[in-house]
Amino acid sequence: MTDTHPSPHHATAPDEAAHGIAKGLPDYGDRGFSLFLRRAFIKGAGYTDAALGRPIIGIANTASAYNPCHGNAPQLIEAVKRGVMLAGGLPMDFPTISVHESFSQPTSMYTRNLMSMDTEEMIRAQPMDAVVLIGGCDKTVPAQLMGAASAGIPAIALITGAMLTGAHRSQRVGACTDCRRYWARFRAGEIDAQEIADVNRQLVASVGTCSVMGTASTMACIAEALGMTVPGGASPPAVTADRIRVAEQTGAQAVAMARSGLTIDRVLTARAFENAMRVLLAIGGSTNAIVHLTAIAGRMGYDIDLEAFDRMGRQTPVLLDLKPSGAHYMEDFHHAGGMATLLRELKPLLHLDALTVTGRTLGEEIERAGPGFAQQVVRPLERPIYPQGGIAVLQGNLAPGGAIIKQSAADAALMEHEGRAVVFENAEDLARRIDSDGLDVTQADILVLKNIGPKGAPGMPEAGYIPIPRKLARAGVKDIVRISDGRMSGTAFGTIVLHVTPEAAVGGPLAHVRNGDRIRLSVRERALTLLVDDQELARRASAYPVAVPRADRGYRKLFLQSVTQADQGVDFDFLRAPVTRARLPASGAWHDAACPPAPPSLPGAMPEAGLRAARTSADPPSAIPPTAP
């Protein structure tokens, strides 16, 4: 084939004005030679000038043998490439770090920021006019959105999708709420080793992310609410034709974005983040998502105001009936119409003028989705499964910077509780003593786990889901109040207070809690109070000063030097935007006239919804009473 490329001297404009193969040239001191050399090498791979003259769409390839949540990535890449080429673009996939929850030591959160840096710098380093971000497992979607937000070019997210559900002895099961439910039964001696081995083979029925409203599904829904996916991009299961079609549409849309110059800053606006927060509350989403949203927003120059977020939560009911707050799975949500069904119900509470990656507004996309149909998974605003948002923000002398609780998955009977602290100094102390018959603990006590925050672990692991002490589990106890500066999986349930800020490892009040101290939890009053006077706490802090963790070298040193607290997204301080533009949600985000009134007394407002998840820790699915019609 005859080469017909223009002279390399045609591409001597600054990189900001360059496109396609001429974008982001390496610095050899001669831009013309840089492009000449690049063309020479890429032609060695068989590309023609006709191909190289098209818009280039980068595809972040996160396939990994260690990441079954991304097991369908090769098929998705193939479909994205098809969509790109059908739309007249040139697809170029490239590898980045891939992070899986169960294969990341000490915790996937430890490498989230590293993945975001990898994503950002590979977008910057390589010529592309737009990028498709293929992610699914918990930390991958936020890492990619963080990196793309900082890189600034047109970007679109492609979710890998949830796994299918399996069956154990005719009971439907799915990762990973059912993982925790069956493991709790095994610890309590209710099922034997053979049955736990049998269920282990059925919990994950295909590749894909967890099939409940864990962090992966939450971030998928949030990505669509942010306007960062094609319409309907959140819910199709990983192994379905619907997911492949979404991938093809994503490739085509990336080309359209490249041609129109629809950069990510035009999508990730203040109004988009407020929509995402509203959706997080309405789906009973993972507590991890508020940390991730904070980190993504921080890259765009927005701070998240946790108190304002809590006010939004008081006016946003949980509408999505999915485990662990409800009864269904992600494939049921997809069959019920997915995010279009949810967004249609939330319309009075959303910023409908927020722009999406399609170039249309969120309101326009809702209208294009049609009128909807009868289904049982998404409730109407006037008949929610829980009267307030799934997440509540707590404050008090034990958490001056805030803490959170997933109230929609907690036991209503425990959300107003005072008890004696049973303290574990760190994860090793917990592992050593939690199953001891000699542990001094009762059902009325409050378990406290220190030093699992951003610096303490390090990496803020999902150890906040402290197991019920074995002696209590065997006695039939299904829930107990638990408090830590760590996280818990979005698939988990129980009356669990998380993200206590400042963390113990930097000298927060949590560091000075002792066995026998009294703690009061009041979700109604949004209060978390250590019933120890200020003078005694100051005396303890002086007598037992905290040594902040440090490391001698490597990524661990960078992490410990730079990681922020939970209320700042656990991002690295040097990756946040240098200028803060606003605090979100803003006071105008409430839509007061459209919001249903908050109930006067939370725990008794709709106990069935709040208690369901606690019951599932012991009851088989067939024993869970159906949600009230």
Side-chain angles (χ1 to χ4, degrees):
M1 182 174 291
T2 304
D3 277 352
T4 58
H5 66 273
S7 163
H9 299 292
H10 292 180
T12 56
D15 280 354
E16 294 76 24
H19 299 282
I21 199 69
K23 188 174 182 180
L25 291 168
D27 187 2
Y28 291 111
D30 180 337
R31 293 180 57 81
F33 176 72
S34 297
L35 181 56
F36 172 79
L37 200 61
R38 173 176 286 176
R39 283 184 174 275
F41 275 99
I42 200 67
K43 286 179 180 177
Y47 288 91
T48 65
D49 284 300
L52 296 176
R54 297 182 174 199
I56 294 180
I57 308 302
I59 305 169
N61 181 353
T62 54
S64 168
Y66 289 106
N67 196 342
C69 290
H70 294 197
N72 61 337
Q75 292 76 29
L76 295 180
I77 291 169
E78 180 184 353
V80 172
K81 287 182 174 180
R82 182 169 67 246
V84 169
M85 289 189 286
L86 286 170
L90 176 63
M92 301 284 284
D93 66 290
F94 62 95
T96 72
I97 289 172
S98 184
V99 177
H100 188 276
E101 282 297 300
S102 299
F103 287 88
S104 300
Q105 196 279 332
T107 168
S108 61
M109 193 67 166
Y110 181 66
T111 50
R112 184 202 65 178
N113 298 344
L114 183 62
M115 184 179 177
S116 82
M117 294 168 69
D118 182 17
T119 301
E120 175 184 351
E121 296 308 324
M122 287 301 96
I123 291 172
R124 291 184 187 281
Q126 301 168 137
M128 61 189 78
D129 298 297
V131 63
V132 174
L133 308 165
I134 300 180
C137 196
D138 294 15
K139 307 307 176 292
T140 63
V141 173
Q144 290 177 321
L145 292 178
M146 290 159 67
S150 297
I153 73 168
I156 185 170
L158 172 59
I159 307 302
T160 60
M163 65 184 69
L164 299 180
T165 53
H168 170 66
R169 299 184 181 179
S170 80
Q171 301 295 328
R172 192 179 185 197
V173 295
C176 210
T177 298
D178 294 326
C179 307
R180 301 178 189 283
R181 179 166 62 89
Y182 276 96
W183 188 253
R185 294 184 64 192
F186 177 64
R187 279 177 49 83
E190 297 174 7
I191 60 176
D192 60 19
Q194 182 59 57
E195 183 168 358
I196 198 67
D198 290 344
V199 75
N200 183 258
R201 288 188 289 271
Q202 301 301 320
L203 286 164
V204 181
S206 73
V207 298
T209 61
C210 288
S211 54
V212 299
M213 191 48 70
T215 306
S217 297
T218 300
M219 292 309 303
C221 295
I222 282 176
E224 186 166 345
L226 284 168
M228 286 299 299
T229 75
V230 297
S235 63
V239 296
T240 60
D242 283 347
R243 176 55 62 191
I244 298 298
R245 282 189 286 268
V246 163
E248 182 183 303
Q249 294 164 7
T250 299
Q253 192 59 51
V255 177
M257 295 171 70
R259 286 180 168 146
S260 68
L262 180 54
T263 49
I264 194 169
D265 60 299
R266 294 175 59 196
V267 178
L268 293 184
T269 61
R271 297 169 88 77
F273 283 112
E274 289 174 352
N275 284 341
M277 284 185 268
R278 187 76 74 178
V279 165
L280 169 59
L281 292 161
I283 62 178
S286 168
T287 51
N288 288 309
I290 190 60
V291 176
H292 297 320
L293 260 180
T294 300
I296 300 164
R299 297 297 185 94
M300 299 304 300
Y302 299 111
D303 284 342
I304 300 300
D305 183 337
L306 288 177
E307 290 187 54
F309 173 72
D310 186 73
R311 291 196 294 273
M312 178 184 275
R314 290 178 183 268
Q315 299 174 331
T316 309
V318 177
L319 303 182
L320 187 56
D321 192 1
L322 250 69
K323 290 187 175 187
S325 297
H328 294 95
Y329 295 88
M330 275 300 288
E331 60 193 86
D332 305 317
F333 181 38
H334 181 58
H335 296 155
M339 282 292 290
T341 303
L342 180 81
L343 294 172
R344 193 179 295 111
E345 289 297 331
L346 283 177
K347 272 183 69 173
L349 310 182
L350 297 173
H351 297 298
L352 300 178
D353 58 348
L355 194 64
T356 76
V357 290
T358 66
R360 295 181 290 270
T361 66
L362 184 66
E364 288 172 326
E365 293 298 352
I366 295 172
E367 292 305 313
R368 286 167 64 92
F373 51 87
Q375 48 77 41
Q376 300 296 319
V377 180
V378 179
R379 294 291 197 87
L381 269 175
E382 65 273 11
R383 194 164 48 84
I385 71 162
Y386 197 80
Q388 296 189 2
I391 297 172
V393 178
L394 309 173
Q395 291 189 315
N397 69 339
L398 189 52
I404 62 174
I405 184 171
K406 189 170 183 176
Q407 57 181 342
S408 62
D411 186 335
L414 289 173
M415 289 197 287
E416 302 296 318
H417 184 76
E418 180 182 321
R420 181 187 63 149
V422 176
V423 178
F424 301 93
E425 293 297 326
N426 49 46
E428 292 75 20
D429 185 29
L430 175 74
R432 185 171 59 251
R433 296 194 292 125
I434 193 68
D435 287 339
S436 171
D437 289 338
L439 181 66
D440 181 14
V441 63
T442 72
Q443 183 177 2
D445 292 333
I446 294 176
L447 305 184
V448 176
L449 176 57
K450 307 176 183 179
N451 292 302
I452 60 165
K455 291 180 185 284
M460 205 180 184
E462 292 182 343
Y465 184 72
I466 305 167
I468 303 294
R470 181 169 289 173
K471 63 188 290 184
L472 298 183
R474 287 174 172 167
V477 175
K478 304 305 178 188
D479 198 7
I480 186 172
V481 177
R482 287 156 275 183
I483 299 172
S484 78
D485 47 14
R487 299 178 299 113
M488 76 173 180
S489 169
T491 66
F493 47 86
T495 312
I496 303 174
V497 177
L498 304 154
H499 309 182
V500 171
T501 305
E503 64 175 305
V506 300
L510 188 70
H512 308 299
V513 179
R514 294 183 177 177
N515 280 311
D517 287 347
R518 305 289 296 181
I519 296 174
R520 186 171 72 89
L521 166 67
S522 175
V523 179
R524 182 190 296 114
E525 298 176 9
R526 300 300 199 260
L528 183 66
T529 309
L530 177 63
L531 302 178
V532 175
D533 63 52
D534 292 344
Q535 291 77 13
E536 172 59 16
L537 283 177
R539 189 195 67 78
R540 293 179 187 180
S542 176
Y544 301 97
V546 169
V548 179
R550 287 176 169 77
D552 293 331
R553 60 165 303 280
Y555 179 68
R556 189 182 184 96
K557 180 177 182 178
L558 175 67
F559 188 96
L560 291 173
Q561 285 179 340
S562 306
V563 73
T564 61
Q565 291 291 289
D567 60 341
Q568 291 290 303
V570 196
D571 199 1
F572 292 158
D573 50 16
F574 61 86
L575 293 176
R576 290 172 52 85
V579 176
T580 299
R581 301 162 66 180
R583 287 178 65 80
L584 305 176
S587 58
W590 311 133
H591 300 270
D592 288 326
C595 291
S601 177
L602 175 63
M606 190 174 288
E608 182 58 43
L611 289 171
R612 183 186 301 110
R615 279 198 302 272
T616 61
S617 65
D619 298 340
S622 61
I624 302 171
T627 306

